[in-house]
Structure formats: structure tokens, C-alpha cells
Amino acid sequence: MNIVVGVTGGIAAYKTVHLVRLLTKAGHEVTVIPTEDALRFVGLPTWEAISRHPVTTSVHDDVARVRHVALGQAAELMIVAPATANTIAKMTAGLADDLLGTTLLATTAPVVIAPAMHTEMWQHPATQANIQTLRERGIHVVGPAEGELAGGDTGAGRMSEPEEIAAEALRFVGGSRDLEGLRVVVSAGGTREPIDPVRFLGNRSSGRQGVALAAEAAARGAEVELVAAHIGTDVLAAARHPNIHVQNAGTAAELSSVMKDAAANADVLIMAAAVADYRPAEAATQKLTKESGRLASIELVENEDIVAALAAARADGNAPDGQVIVAFAAETLRDAGERRERARRKRERKGVDLLAVNLADAEHGFERAENAVEIIGAEGVVVASAEGSKREVAAAIWDAVAALRG
Ligand code: CTP
């Protein structure tokens, strides 16, 4: 992979030498773009020797090749480490007064930054607002870690270790590009069905598994539509990627309509959202009071089974050829055999290709970082199982989808 590593003026620049070494040793072509200030910490010969490529800070060198555009266009990944408060501010404003600035503007590759600065500078509202803006643009932020800082004080602001930056950056872009060109739609989160203007029927889904599925797909090259039902901004932050487009849907009815529109052009549909099976027959327009007596029991009506409807539309020929549909099932049954049996019936009933069954107990599932799934395919065969972080589980699900599409 062609990787551009931007280095800005902080003492942590010495650690970036090791980062460049890790990336080149892993077989990547690395071009280093230091800022003038960075060269006060680590000199140009070091960067050239370690990357085995010529290094310059200026847009006026190698003008014939329009270097500032060429580097950005050729990059498949850009890492800025360390990213100082000043550089973060410049990136937010889109300033392009040196080669790093112009390259960052010219690239469409994923960008990962590893901030490093004193705790006060990191916590300053200006820096925090800039970081927020960069995240919203799809830039992935690694660290900073807590630890000893250059002045001898300790706190948040220390650049993450090179190993961690390399691993996170490569995970962000994905090792494999096996989903390149695929249009995928992932629903995530949990629907809320209004009872009255202040109350709803909801569930405990945080959206983490669906967000991990979206992030993994984007990293592997897919164009992702993430349909988000009440996902917290902290969880949604992990889905910031240039190839992920987010649409919100609040209720089962809204989710159904967004999914059906998106399905018409989708190669893969994954329904990871926890959809309310029932909704109040009527959502009161005024807040219900105890006095009214209408709160003691609420009449419910069944919601459409969205994923089953999507599978039925496909069966009627209203979907791109080869469309793959994946559903989820949350189970609290501890017995693996019983769980599998229920899952087999559910997969058949819904007409989906794969059903990812997750164990929703105290250690796994809802509101947790860890998950465990078994993936049931045609004829009820367990095609894969995975346990670990939601990202690892997401990777296993995409592997199963990729295998199915051949
Ligand atoms: N689903 C859906 N539309 C619904 C309900 C569920 O599309 N109205 C989807 C979910 O997104 C998920 C799968 O169907 O992919 C879950 O199936 P569901 O029948 O709700 O199973 P469980 O939640 O496991 O509950 P139960 O077995 O009790 O029905």
C-alpha cells in the first residue's frame, strides 16, 4: 500500500521514525512529508534513510510532477504523527501553506492522525472543537494516550505508541479490499415507538455491532449506507469514514421506508438494528397522565417484519442480482443446540441468506464491547462462529458474506 506519513513539529517525531520503519517492514511504500518544524526534531536524512524515498517539505520541489497533488492522489492511506495542536487547527481550516497541507487537501484516501501535545492544549475547547470537526469529516483519531509528557508532567496528550498507530491505521483502511465496489446497507441501533410526546417503547441496542459492521465494510472497500436508529454520537464516531453515509431512522416504520429505498441498489443488506416487534396502536399527541387512566395498559399492534419484507422483495425480483441479506437474532437461551434450532427456523421464516445469532447475556451482546455469534447459512449449516470485539465479529460476518458472493 502507498502510505504518506506526515510528521509535524513535536518531540514525539522521534517515535514516528519507528512508525515509518514498522510500515516499511510490513511491505508498504512510505513517503514521509515533514513540516519545517518537524525537521527541528528529526532531520531530513533520517526520514530519507528510513523511508528510502526522497523527502521534501516544500511544494516548490519537483514541480514538474506536481508533487503536492501527485502524492495525495497516489496515497492509499495518510497518517499524521505526531499531529500538533497547530497542525490539527490548520487541517480543520483547510490551510495549505506547505507540502503536507496541500497533500492533505489533495487526497481522497483515509486519513489517520495521532495527536501529541500538552494536556492543557489537548483539552482546550479550540482543539477539542477542531478534533470534533475532523472526526465528522471521517478522519480517524488515534490517542492521545495518558502518560509522561515532554515537560516532565503527566496527563492526556502523549502520542500513542507506533505499534498502536500502525495497527489502528491499517485496521481503519482494512487489510483486504475484498468488498471493493460493493454497495452495502447496514441498519443499526434500536427503534423507538412513540407512546406519547415524551415516552416510547425501546430496547437496549447501542448500535455498536452495526457500526462495527459499517466500519469494517468501508475499510474493506465497500460503499456503505448506515441506517442509524438512535445511536449515541460516541458510538457513531467509529463510523466516520469517507465511504460511510449515515441516514437516521427513528421508528420501525421509518426504518422500513429507508431500508426499502436503499435496498433497491444494494448488493448486501445487513439488518443489525433491533426493531420493535410491536408499536402502540396510537401515539397520543398530548402527554398521557396517570389521571387519564390511559397509561396502565397500552394497546399494541404488530410492526412489519422489515427484513422478511426485504427478502420477499428480492424473491419477487425487485433487487440487484446476487443480493445477499443478513439478519440478526438475539438469544438468551444458554443451550447452544436449542439456540441453533431456533435460529434455523428463524432464518427459513425470514427468507434470509445468513442469520447471525448472538448470545445476549450479561457478558455478551447489548451495550457491551464484546460479542459472540454463530452464523447460520443455507440448510441451517453453521458457516462460521466468532467471539471477541464487535469489530472482530463484524469481520467474520463480512467473510461469510464474501464467501457467499464467491
Ligand atoms: N427485524 C425486522 N423487522 C422487525 C423485527 C425484526 O427486520 N419488525 C429483524 C432484525 O433487524 C433482526 C431480526 O429481524 O435482523 C431479528 O428477528 P426477530 O424476529 O425480531 O427475532 P428476535 O429479536 O430474536 O426475537 P423473537 O425470536 O422473539 O421474535
Side-chain angles (χ1 to χ4, degrees), residues 105-358:
L105 285 187
T107 195
T108 54
V111 177
V112 174
I113 64 169
M117 65 198 73
H118 281 278
T119 309
E120 293 80 359
M121 294 173 80
W122 172 248
Q123 288 172 344
H124 193 282
T127 305
Q128 287 303 310
N130 291 338
I131 285 286
Q132 175 72 12
T133 304
L134 294 180
R135 284 198 165 122
E136 278 160 16
R137 287 187 201 150
I139 288 174
H140 186 65
V141 182
V142 182
E146 299 235 350
E148 203 174 311
L149 303 171
D153 46 347
T154 54
R158 190 183 156 90
M159 188 173 89
S160 295
E161 292 307 312
E163 287 78 5
E164 188 189 340
I165 299 171
E168 271 209 46
L170 293 173
R171 212 162 67 142
F172 184 61
V173 288
S176 137
R177 304 286 293 172
D178 61 341
L179 305 178
E180 187 96 58
L182 282 190
R183 296 157 300 175
V184 313
V185 182
V186 178
S187 72
T191 67
R192 292 182 182 175
E193 311 298 319
I195 296 170
D196 67 15
V198 299
R199 301 181 180 91
F200 58 82
L201 289 180
N203 59 70
R204 287 177 56 183
S205 177
S206 65
R208 280 195 185 89
Q209 185 60 70
V211 164
L213 281 159
E216 176 72 14
R220 284 161 70 163
E223 284 292 328
V224 185
E225 194 70 44
L226 176 62
V227 185
H230 304 284
I231 303 181
T233 48
D234 53 331
V235 173
L236 211 49
R240 289 187 186 121
H241 187 285
N243 289 1
I244 301 180
H245 178 248
V246 181
Q247 282 195 73
N248 291 312
T251 62
E254 284 165 19
L255 188 61
S256 167
S257 135
V258 175
M259 286 304 292
K260 284 175 185 167
D261 283 348
N265 289 312
D267 300 306
V268 184
L269 297 170
I270 300 193
M271 275 294 288
V275 185
D277 292 311
Y278 292 86
R279 68 177 182 278
E282 211 184 326
T285 51
Q286 301 285 327
K287 183 182 162 196
L288 296 179
T289 58
K290 283 196 287 279
E291 236 171 32
S292 73
R294 286 175 59 199
L295 271 173
S297 74
I298 294 165
E299 193 194 336
L300 301 179
V301 291
E302 198 168 347
N303 278 330
E304 171 193 34
D305 188 324
I306 303 169
V307 78
L310 295 169
R314 177 182 64 172
D316 291 340
N318 298 323
D321 284 346
Q323 186 181 71
V324 172
I325 305 182
V326 183
F328 268 80
E331 294 291 351
T332 49
L333 284 173
R334 296 233 96 194
D335 183 82
E338 276 183 64
R339 239 185 8 245
R340 245 170 249 155
E341 259 326 299
R342 268 178 56 83
R344 287 188 178 122
R345 291 198 301 273
K346 192 172 282 181
R347 193 195 72 84
E348 290 270 324
R349 199 167 65 233
K350 293 189 183 258
V352 299
D353 304 294
L354 300 172
L355 184 86
V357 192
N358 62 337

